[in-house]
């Protein structure tokens, strides 16, 4: 992504209509995949492709994987699927054999600190750099974990110190 054009900005802010995230941990059944198969017929609103991200795909049921298989074998030309998992071994071989694989590394601490700084600024909270650094270290390379911990530690605070983080975590 260029992170400059309007589509990239929409995707980054979570407002892009052509980027659909499905949380397979909570939407894991065949009915959700059937709805996806119906929705996939629609062409993208603005982007060149409609991108479907199925997060924690290993949580899909066997029937849901089977329903998804046909769509993965013959996707519409305007659709891209990204199946994300933290437990690759639980993804059925029939799915694995029809997909490309990319392993992502953990994010560096400075990258996580930068992102957390943007979040606290947007929320109107002041935070010590040491507090953000500590959260990033506890997150061990996981941005989602860092943001989740930040939310827990903030819990009504307008100022955040490293001591606050130490006490909470």
């Amino acid at each position: 992504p260029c992170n400059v054009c309007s589509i990239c900005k929409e995707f980054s802010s979570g407002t892009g209509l052509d980027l659909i995230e499905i949380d397979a941990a909570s939407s894991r059944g065949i009915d959700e995949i059937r709805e996806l198969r119906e929705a996939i017929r629609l062409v993208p609103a603005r982007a060149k492709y409609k991108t479907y991200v199925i997060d924690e795909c290993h949580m899909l049921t066997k029937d849901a994987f089977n329903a998804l298989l046909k769509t993965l074998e013959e996707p519409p030309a305007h659709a891209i699927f990204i199946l994300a998992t933290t437990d690759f071994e639980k993804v059925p071989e029939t799915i694995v054999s029809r997909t490309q694989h990319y392993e992502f590394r953990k994010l560096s601490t400075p990258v996580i600190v930068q992102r957390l700084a943007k979040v606290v600024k947007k929320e109107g909270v002041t935070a010590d750099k040491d507090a953000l650094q500590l959260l990033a270290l506890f997150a061990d390379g996981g941005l989602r974990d860092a943001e989740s911990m930040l939310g827990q530690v903030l819990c009504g605070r307008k100022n955040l110190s490293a001591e606050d983080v130490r006490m909470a975590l």
Side-chain angles (χ1 to χ4, degrees):
C2 68
N3 293 322
V4 176
C5 72
S6 62
I7 292 174
C8 284
K9 287 180 180 179
E10 287 175 13
F11 282 11
S12 292
S13 68
T15 60
L17 297 175
D18 296 323
L19 177 64
I20 297 95
E21 183 179 356
I22 300 163
D23 178 18
S26 58
S27 301
R28 57 188 302 245
I30 191 168
D31 292 335
E32 287 85 353
I33 298 301
R34 285 183 179 143
E35 288 175 21
L36 169 73
R37 287 173 57 185
E38 290 296 317
I40 200 169
R41 295 182 203 182
L42 301 173
V43 296
R46 295 197 43 204
K48 183 176 180 181
Y49 298 101
K50 198 162 218 163
T51 304
Y52 295 86
V53 179
I54 303 177
D55 193 21
E56 297 297 338
C57 72
H58 67 274
M59 299 290 286
L60 291 173
T61 65
K62 182 180 178 186
D63 290 336
F65 270 124
N66 288 336
L68 182 61
L69 190 58
K70 176 115 172 104
T71 305
L72 289 177
E73 288 176 330
E74 300 172 15
H78 63 265
I80 294 175
F81 287 93
I82 298 173
L83 308 179
T85 183
T86 54
D87 201 347
F88 185 73
E89 292 75 31
K90 289 185 180 178
V91 179
E93 183 58 35
T94 53
I95 300 293
V96 171
S97 66
R98 289 162 175 84
T99 55
Q100 295 178 357
H101 309 269
Y102 301 93
E103 288 191 34
F104 294 97
R105 290 177 291 240
K106 294 179 179 183
L107 293 175
S108 69
T109 300
V111 168
I112 294 174
V113 169
Q114 259 184 340
R115 174 66 181 171
L116 294 178
K118 287 181 183 178
V119 170
V120 295
K121 182 178 180 181
K122 185 176 179 183
E123 295 295 321
V125 174
T126 57
D128 297 347
K129 181 154 178 132
D130 290 342
L132 301 181
Q133 182 82 19
L134 197 52
L135 283 167
L137 289 171
F138 272 106
D140 189 34
L143 182 58
R144 184 171 31 182
D145 291 341
E147 290 176 341
S148 176
M149 285 187 277
L150 175 63
Q152 292 171 9
V153 172
L154 281 178
C155 196
R157 289 186 170 100
K158 288 294 180 190
N159 298 304
L160 186 64
S161 70
E163 187 59 31
D164 295 328
V165 173
R166 280 190 203 91
M167 293 297 291
L169 301 177

